[in-house]
């Protein structure tokens, strides 16, 4: 809910149970470290390439870095699935997809603490980025991602989550 009033986030415990609400500014102030829920979607094309967005330079956290295909906050009263579909539509115009759960974990940076619900999907739809959210977007080959890891190209959260995705998809 963007607009003139400040965005409100649900606050959750580590299991994801809602325990309250707080404004975005408090959740991202680097002091409160209030745990709030987020959805991430990793969009793959049929060739196995991963779509990434380059964050807008106006973003308050990690501007100008490449990040997950879709990432956004869950609104108070919104289900994880509804938030995932809303964010996918808003950020890259993706509407017809079947998400697969890829894990849940807590991510803590110097500015915030998030409970991240991660999903993957494969789609032939061509993403159309929201230029208010991102300045670029494209599909990356796995080798290209791996060559750029640890070089300041990606958000630290994306690098962490990419390693989790790789580990989860490794054949045993």
């Amino acid at each position: 809910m963007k607009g003139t009033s400040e965005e409100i986030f649900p606050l959750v415990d580590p299991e994801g149970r809602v325990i309250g609400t707080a404004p975005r500014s408090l959740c991202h102030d680097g002091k409160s470290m209030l745990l709030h829920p987020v959805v991430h979607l990793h969009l793959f094309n049929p060739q196995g390439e991963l779509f990434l967005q380059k964050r807008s330079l106006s973003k308050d956290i990690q501007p100008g870095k490449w990040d997950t295909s879709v990432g956004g906050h869950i609104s108070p009263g919104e289900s994880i699935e509804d938030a995932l579909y809303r964010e996918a539509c808003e950020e890259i115009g993706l509407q017809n997809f079947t998400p697969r759960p890829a894990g849940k974990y807590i991510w803590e940076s110097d500015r915030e603490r998030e409970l991240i619900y991660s999903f993957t999907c494969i789609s032939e739809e061509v993403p159309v980025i929201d230029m208010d959210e991102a300045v670029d977007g494209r599909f990356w080959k796995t080798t290209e991602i791996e060559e750029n890891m640890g070089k300041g190209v990606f958000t630290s959260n994306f690098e962490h989550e990419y390693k989790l995705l790789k580990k989860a998809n490794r054949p045993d």
Side-chain angles (χ1 to χ4, degrees):
M1 298 260 233
K2 295 173 184 162
T4 55
S5 63
E6 186 172 1
E7 196 173 2
I8 300 295
F9 296 160
L11 301 178
V12 295
D13 68 14
E15 302 307 312
R17 291 181 292 259
V18 176
I19 57 172
T21 60
R24 177 187 192 100
S25 59
L26 185 59
C27 292
H28 288 186
D29 70 0
K31 297 176 204 146
S32 69
M33 302 310 272
L34 297 170
L35 186 62
H36 55 284
V38 169
V39 291
H40 283 180
L41 179 67
H42 299 275
L43 169 64
F44 290 89
N45 64 18
Q47 294 75 40
E49 298 168 324
L50 177 59
F51 185 81
L52 299 178
Q53 290 191 51
K54 188 170 188 180
R55 294 174 64 81
S56 165
L57 294 174
S58 65
K59 288 286 194 182
D60 61 341
I61 296 175
Q62 300 200 55
K65 294 198 175 185
W66 289 91
D67 203 358
T68 55
S69 310
V70 172
H73 295 93
I74 297 172
S75 297
E78 186 176 40
S79 72
I80 295 164
E81 184 178 83
D82 286 347
L84 185 66
Y85 280 97
R86 175 182 53 77
E87 289 288 346
C89 185
E90 287 176 5
E91 291 191 8
I92 61 173
L94 188 65
Q95 294 183 27
N96 300 313
F97 65 99
T98 303
R100 286 190 12 232
K104 174 178 92 168
Y105 65 95
I106 293 175
W107 174 255
E108 189 170 323
S109 72
D110 60 346
R111 295 278 309 277
E112 64 178 336
R113 218 168 134 242
E114 297 177 326
L115 177 61
I116 298 176
Y117 294 92
S118 179
F119 297 85
T120 62
C121 75
I122 299 171
S123 177
E124 292 184 22
E125 267 189 71
V126 177
V128 178
I129 62 169
D130 176 349
M131 295 304 280
D132 290 333
E133 295 279 340
V135 294
D136 198 1
R138 68 177 180 87
F139 282 99
W140 293 63
K141 294 181 185 324
T142 302
T143 53
E144 193 179 11
I145 291 171
E146 292 177 5
E147 287 168 3
N148 284 286
M149 293 284 276
K151 296 181 178 176
V153 172
F154 307 116
T155 64
S156 52
N157 184 226
F158 170 75
E159 289 195 358
H160 173 79
E161 197 162 333
Y162 181 78
K163 290 173 188 170
L164 293 177
L165 288 172
K166 253 186 90 171
K167 188 176 180 182
N169 290 322
R170 184 182 307 143
D172 290 333

